[in-house]
Amino acid sequence: MSLSMSVTAPALRVPFHRASIDEDTIERVADVLRSGWLTTGPQCTAFEHEFAARLGPNVEAIAVNSGTAALHLALDAVGVRAGDLVVTSPYTFTATAEVARYLGAHPVFADVDPATGNVTPATVLAAVARLTSEDRRRIRAVLPVHFAGLPCDLTGLREFALTYRWSLVDDAAHALPASHAGRPVGAQGDATAFSFYATKTLCTGEGGMVTTRVPELAARMRTMRLHGIDRDVFRRYEQAAAWYYEVVEAGFKYNLTDIAAALGRAQLQRQDELRAARLRIATAYDVAFAGLDGVLVPPDAAPGDTHARHLYPLRVLGGRAVRDAFVECLADRGIAASVHFIPLYLQPYYRRTYGLRASDFPGANTLFEQEVSLPLYPAMEPADIDAVITEVPRAIAAAHQRARPG
């Protein structure tokens, strides 16, 4: 999720995003509305099973109403509690860090590689090294973010987690479908959180999924998903005289509706097709911009990994003034763009609470001052793609003129 869908307006000929919703999907949602069962029910159960099946054996999936809910349930399930520390990225949307605060824990921010936008084992180690020995003992989990759909080095991070007895919970809001070392993202950490927000690679409007291969974690997350009730509400209503339940924990209201699940099931079946469309657009951008002065194209996945291609984060060189002018110049030419992300160390809450400075995060700050996300979505028409390819070089030249002092 971007902090703002910046520079979108009715006059823009190429919006930043347009959802890929076909008539079959609309009909599936309409069937749920006709069924009379709208909240969590058979569609949600089927969605969970189908999602888990894509990730491999022994994976369980729990559908929820947002990616934020998925992260919260995951941290709660692995045992993050008040006073604990969670090592994560500052180059992300606020949800990644705020869920630690929900539990009374605190984020510890590790810098990112400016080329990928991801934390690495080295940046995590550097962040931990700055802590006192007492604070190091308070670390309960590491929470990497797969920026733009490019998978993190889960192998290296997993080794750290095992060595130091941390839990590994990964934020895969951008990373469906992605893989690392030949295995799907979502089947490698203790728990993985996905987002189905309106702009994501699988869209339910609002929604998410949390996955795990640990049965005890899955059981905890299912209970906490709906008020800490010990029985699935849907199961209580599908059987006569099955009204009895017990509240065993102070849980949350995080369940997904069948309306959203029907939309999700249809989108899940199209994931390979939709990723192929995003890859085709990203490849066209790579070819067009690889030799363009003043920009850097985003990296592809490492050998053995698969990039979800959720975002196309073009790096515009020349400083923040040029980057900002580039976004404005694209808008002048009818092309919407966004910036992912305004790092959390620049946000007033995190800066004030933890005394953070931009100079502590040179990798993230370099990326922030350069990054512009171009439109990248399967519903783009060929004319839309051609317009972006045509206007980016013109906007770069105009941005340097606009940002020039005097």
Side-chain angles (χ1 to χ4, degrees):
M1 183 189 300
S2 170
L3 188 65
S4 63
M5 300 299 293
S6 60
V7 208
T8 50
L12 293 173
R13 52 179 163 152
V14 182
F16 181 71
H17 181 79
R18 185 186 303 119
S20 299
I21 306 295
D22 59 13
E23 290 302 318
D24 175 67
T25 300
I26 294 171
E27 189 60 28
R28 289 180 182 222
V29 173
D31 284 345
V32 173
L33 296 174
R34 296 184 189 106
S35 76
W37 189 282
L38 306 185
T39 189
T40 307
Q43 289 291 326
C44 192
T45 300
F47 186 26
E48 291 174 336
H49 291 163
E50 291 161 4
F51 194 92
R54 286 185 64 98
L55 301 181
N58 304 317
V59 175
E60 294 191 55
I62 298 94
V64 290
N65 57 15
S66 70
T68 306
L71 285 167
H72 187 194
L73 288 177
L75 290 187
D76 169 81
V78 300
V80 173
R81 297 293 181 264
D84 289 342
L85 302 181
V86 176
V87 182
T88 190
S89 170
Y91 208 81
T92 184
F93 187 62
T94 184
T96 307
E98 75 184 30
V99 291
R101 299 298 298 125
Y102 293 173
L103 295 163
H106 300 279
V108 172
F109 295 113
D111 202 6
V112 302
D113 178 346
T116 66
N118 288 337
V119 299
T120 68
T123 65
V124 169
L125 183 61
V128 172
R130 291 194 295 268
L131 300 176
T132 66
S133 57
E134 180 180 348
D135 282 346
R136 289 174 201 163
R137 288 192 290 270
R138 295 166 58 200
I139 297 173
R140 187 67 185 85
V142 58
L143 202 174
V145 178
H146 305 287
F147 174 66
L150 180 67
C152 295
D153 178 5
L154 288 173
T155 300
L157 293 169
R158 183 67 175 175
E159 289 175 0
F160 264 139
L162 289 172
T163 299
Y164 295 106
R165 297 187 177 181
W166 303 336
S167 295
L168 176 60
V169 175
D170 49 323
D171 182 338
H174 294 180
L176 181 72
S179 65
H180 168 69
R183 297 175 59 205
V185 169
Q188 300 192 47
D190 293 294
T192 302
F194 294 88
S195 171
F196 304 148
Y197 180 67
T199 60
K200 295 301 191 293
T201 59
L202 188 156
C203 159
T204 63
E206 296 282 1
M209 192 79 75
V210 56
T211 62
T212 184
R213 292 174 299 143
V214 183
E216 294 80 8
L217 298 184
R220 170 75 180 186
M221 290 187 285
R222 290 189 189 281
T223 296
M224 298 301 285
R225 170 178 61 174
L226 192 60
H227 300 299
I229 293 174
D230 66 343
R231 297 185 60 193
D232 191 308
V233 171
F234 168 55
R235 299 301 176 194
R236 290 195 289 117
Y237 285 105
E238 69 177 354
Q239 298 177 7
W243 54 267
Y244 185 79
Y245 65 90
E246 293 182 336
V247 177
V248 296
E249 290 284 355
F252 316 108
K253 182 68 169 71
Y254 282 166
N255 59 304
L256 189 70
T257 69
D258 260 20
I259 300 169
L263 178 53
R265 293 182 69 195
Q267 292 255 304
L268 185 64
Q269 289 183 355
R270 300 177 62 205
Q271 277 301 292
D272 293 338
E273 164 204 340
L274 296 175
R275 182 189 175 273
R278 293 192 304 274
L279 177 60
R280 185 171 61 251
I281 297 165
T283 300
Y285 287 169
D286 285 346
V287 171
F289 306 141
L292 181 62
D293 288 340
V295 303
L296 295 173
V297 299
D300 201 352
D305 291 2
T306 303
H307 197 318
R309 290 294 187 180
H310 170 53
L311 298 174
Y312 192 87
L314 189 71
R315 292 173 65 186
V316 177
L317 308 180
R320 183 170 172 181
V322 174
R323 189 279 307 275
D324 292 351
F326 174 67
V327 176
E328 296 169 359
C329 291
L330 275 181
D332 292 343
R333 288 159 173 78
I335 311 295
S338 192
V339 172
H340 293 82
F341 293 96
I342 302 174
L344 297 185
Y345 55 78
L346 296 178
Q347 298 293 351
Y349 171 77
Y350 296 100
R351 188 178 67 239
R352 180 180 68 245
T353 303
Y354 299 106
L356 303 176
R357 300 171 299 177
S359 58
D360 296 330
F361 305 95
N365 216 50
T366 295
L367 182 56
F368 169 59
E369 293 186 347
Q370 297 173 346
E371 196 273 344
V372 175
S373 296
L374 299 180
L376 175 64
Y377 49 93
M380 290 184 77
E381 300 290 340
D384 299 333
I385 302 166
D386 290 343
V388 175
I389 290 173
T390 298
E391 298 298 349
V392 161
R394 296 172 179 173
I396 288 289
H400 281 276
Q401 291 287 337
R402 187 172 295 187
R404 186 172 298 164

